[in-house]
Amino acid sequence: MENRIFNFGAGPCTLPLPVLQQAQAELLCLPGTGMSVLEISHRNKKYIEIYESAIRNLRTLLNIPSNYQVLFLQGGATLQFTMVAQNFLRGTGKSAGYFNTGSWGTAAIKEAKKEGPVVTVWNGKESNFNRIPKANEWQMDENFAYLHFTSNETIGGVEWQTEPSAGDVPLVCDSSSDFMARPIDVSKYALIYAGAQKNAAPAGVTIVIIRDDMLAKVPENLPVMLDYKIQADKESAYNTPPVFQIYMFNLVTQWLLNEIGGLSNMYAINQQKANLLYSAIDQSGGFYEGHATSDSRSIMNVTWRMPSEELQDLFAKEAKANGMAELKGHRSVGGMRASIYNAMTVAGCQTLADFMRDFQRRHG
Amino acid sequence: MENRIFNFGAGPCTLPLPVLQQAQAELLCLPGTGMSVLEISHRNKKYIEIYESAIRNLRTLLNIPSNYQVLFLQGGATLQFTMVAQNFLRGTGKSAGYFNTGSWGTAAIKEAKKEGPVVTVWNGKESNFNRIPKANEWQMDENFAYLHFTSNETIGGVEWQTEPSAGDVPLVCDSSSDFMARPIDVSKYALIYAGAQKNAAPAGVTIVIIRDDMLAKVPENLPVMLDYKIQADKESAYNTPPVFQIYMFNLVTQWLLNEIGGLSNMYAINQQKANLLYSAIDQSGGFYEGHATSDSRSIMNVTWRMPSEELQDLFAKEAKANGMAELKGHRSVGGMRASIYNAMTVAGCQTLADFMRDFQRRHG
């Protein structure tokens, strides 16, 4: 067994070590079944136990009211871009409001426009997607079919500190990259979706939290796999769900509950981790230049630039040699990025912050 | 570690033990990466190696011509029902021809009808889906947008012995439950799709083999996740693919190539396994009554009934106590079913055949 490194990748990304260890220990034989979780039927009662445990844990972690359903779907946030618009925009005669705070907001809008009219209520493109809008910078329209926002932009590294006010309009959130990173008030949302591969599970499942009144709005005759109502009625098993990812999600939620102690604790740890890196940036005298404005900084994805491409390449190379991987920014924007999701440890962030200071001493 | 049992489940189902063992051994640390395959980015060069190896292996196993692309998608065969019809039926002004040979044929037709006109060229419902049509029982129409069939019906246990002749009309196949069970002539097909959770990998990935001329027909402005052309152009990584399932598929194809010796060998083994069970049925004097007619029998799913529900329940219970699980038929049709996919061993089938004879001696 080789040594594991600190993986700062933006997703798929590091998972909690105790979760990986349990999955490994029982990979040939899930206790009580005589088979691997990779081989178990989604109609088997042991799977049903896992599925129900996962939902119960998530309900506890996020304090989800009883008039919301939890779904496990496939296709990532990108298929949700389509599903949200096909279920709740197309054919309504209304427009939907979308915030464009970065690459994912842009992608959500692009897919929604294929289904119906979209109003971009705020666009961060002019400022190179380096911030979240203030409350007085955008206009609500009470006739929107829904209002959509991306709670954290993985590529730019900007994050809503609190959700926008939608009034009586259904609030829809792409929470892929900060899902379960902190407590939220689910009752403010009509629909939350999250690709799992940041904080929740390995890539291959998408978690959806949807309010019952939204399910009642789903139109007739949608493709069955794109129909939230059918997926809810069939408890996410209309066809074969991604059993392994749901099993892993259950283990991750157990870890959050039992080892971390819930999302308030997780949030405090995440703030501590982010502060380690933002302090290294802020104290660098401009050697590390943060991308996000200070009031919009993400606690999940810390992004910065350095004085030259050469220094950035050298930084990534030296970091790798010191056991810290995946620190280059997204290929579409360049720069540097440290993704520090729930499973990244304080020790990992401290190691990186120390390295940043050391690197600056040597090359600054 | 408990003993593993013989798992005759219809999917998710048993996987090759050497594959599970390798996955377990490297679950904390994929060699050369310092991280788990569950944590690795789909942009990492190690993932690209796995992805390219999986495709290379499949091309070798099925002798896929160079004018076909291999895709890894999500959503199972059920999302393919929609994708096939949205990409190649909707808006063409044509009808599509569908064989209805069982539950999956029925489901494919239901989804296709949401997108355009469907002609059911043959319907096995009157005969309780116990057989595949003969060549003179259905009519081809050269104007079909495509001709669709289900190569193996998991629930009824009927299987095409060879594909229907579609002439110049594109032939589309749902091969979910006998994919890679035997050699096929890919050049006869325009599109083959298969949910992985029978012969290919754990649930959560769908393999698509598609001819280049079909990609050229994909209409503009489909939702990105439903667009075969975009998925092909982006090498199945427009968004995050199900990395773990693709890794497992690579291991399964390695096992087929290196331990089994290719699909001709696999087919011989599958025939041997199926013969063990069908012989127990045929030699039972009617105690075990096979569902499929002898010319339509599946080598993947062996289905039969017994003289009473009570005997069937007792059979399943005693079999379970003897290390053979998941032998009840699908809840929609009842009866008994032994699914004997590639990874089920000859020893497993021999054990079941012996048990069937013993059970009959005691209860017949």
Side-chain angles (χ1 to χ4, degrees), chain A residues 1-7 9 11-17 20-21 23-45 73-79 82 86 90 104 107 110-111 113-115 197-198 201-206 221-226 230 237-245 248 320 325-326 330-331, chain B residues 1-7 9 11-17 20-21 23-45 73-79 82 86 90 104 107 110-111 113-115 197-198 201-206 221-226 230 237-245 248 320 325-326 330-331:
Chain A
M1 173 61 67
E2 301 166 73
N3 285 333
R4 283 170 52 84
I5 58 177
F6 291 121
N7 173 5
C13 59
T14 194
L15 288 163
L17 185 58
L20 292 173
Q21 287 169 324
Q24 182 180 45
E26 59 195 35
L27 199 73
L28 290 193
C29 204
L30 189 66
T33 69
M35 58 186 79
S36 171
V37 70
L38 304 174
E39 303 173 306
I40 197 168
S41 168
H42 54 300
R43 312 296 178 194
N44 184 298
K45 73 171 193 286
L73 305 181
Q74 293 184 64
T78 305
L79 191 57
T82 293
Q86 287 201 358
R90 196 168 69 181
W104 294 109
K110 185 177 172 202
E111 293 306 307
K113 281 183 171 170
K114 295 177 182 173
E115 312 299 337
Q197 65 274 12
K198 320 292 185 181
V205 69
T206 309
N221 226 31
L222 282 177
V224 62
M225 293 305 289
L226 305 184
I230 290 174
Y238 177 89
N239 71 345
T240 312
V243 170
F244 179 67
Q245 277 80 353
M248 289 293 290
K320 183 94 184 275
E326 303 285 357
H330 190 269
R331 63 204 187 292
Chain B
M1 173 60 67
E2 302 167 71
N3 284 332
R4 283 170 51 84
I5 59 177
F6 291 121
N7 174 4
C13 58
T14 194
L15 288 164
L17 186 56
L20 292 173
Q21 287 169 326
Q24 182 180 45
E26 58 196 34
L27 199 73
L28 290 194
C29 204
L30 190 67
T33 68
M35 59 186 77
S36 171
V37 70
L38 304 175
E39 302 173 307
I40 197 168
S41 168
H42 54 300
R43 312 296 177 194
N44 185 296
K45 74 170 194 283
L73 305 181
Q74 294 184 64
T78 305
L79 191 58
T82 293
Q86 286 199 1
R90 197 168 69 181
W104 295 107
K110 185 178 169 200
E111 293 306 307
K113 281 184 172 170
K114 295 176 182 173
E115 312 300 337
Q197 66 273 12
K198 321 291 187 181
V205 69
T206 308
N221 226 30
L222 282 177
V224 62
M225 293 303 289
L226 305 185
I230 290 174
Y238 177 89
N239 71 346
T240 313
V243 171
F244 179 67
Q245 277 81 354
M248 289 293 290
K320 184 94 184 274
E326 304 284 358
H330 190 269
R331 63 203 187 293

Side-chain angles (χ1 to χ4, degrees), chain A residues 295-346:
Chain A
D295 59 352
S296 299
R297 282 173 163 175
S298 168
I299 57 168
M300 298 278 100
N301 310 97
V302 180
T303 51
W304 70 90
R305 291 186 180 276
M306 296 169 57
S308 71
E309 292 285 337
E310 291 68 29
L311 275 175
Q312 291 180 165
D313 290 345
L314 185 64
F315 183 98
K317 189 177 162 192
E318 284 194 14
K320 183 94 184 275
N322 284 276
M324 291 165 279
E326 303 285 357
L327 283 160
K328 295 300 290 283
H330 190 269
R331 63 204 187 292
S332 65
V333 296
M336 309 300 292
R337 174 174 56 175
S339 295
I340 53 172
Y341 299 114
N342 285 354
M344 173 54 66
T345 57
V346 174

Side-chain angles (χ1 to χ4, degrees), chain A residues 287-288 306 310-316 318-319 353-364:
Chain A
F287 182 75
Y288 300 113
M306 296 169 57
E310 291 68 29
L311 275 175
Q312 291 180 165
D313 290 345
L314 185 64
F315 183 98
E318 284 194 14
D354 290 347
F355 175 77
M356 289 170 76
R357 291 199 171 84
D358 180 64
F359 187 89
Q360 186 181 0
R361 259 193 305 276
R362 289 182 290 110
H363 300 284

Side-chain angles (χ1 to χ4, degrees), chain B residues 111-125:
Chain B
E111 293 306 307
K113 281 184 172 170
K114 295 176 182 173
E115 312 300 337
V118 168
V119 174
T120 302
V121 296
W122 186 81
N123 194 331
K125 192 167 184 189

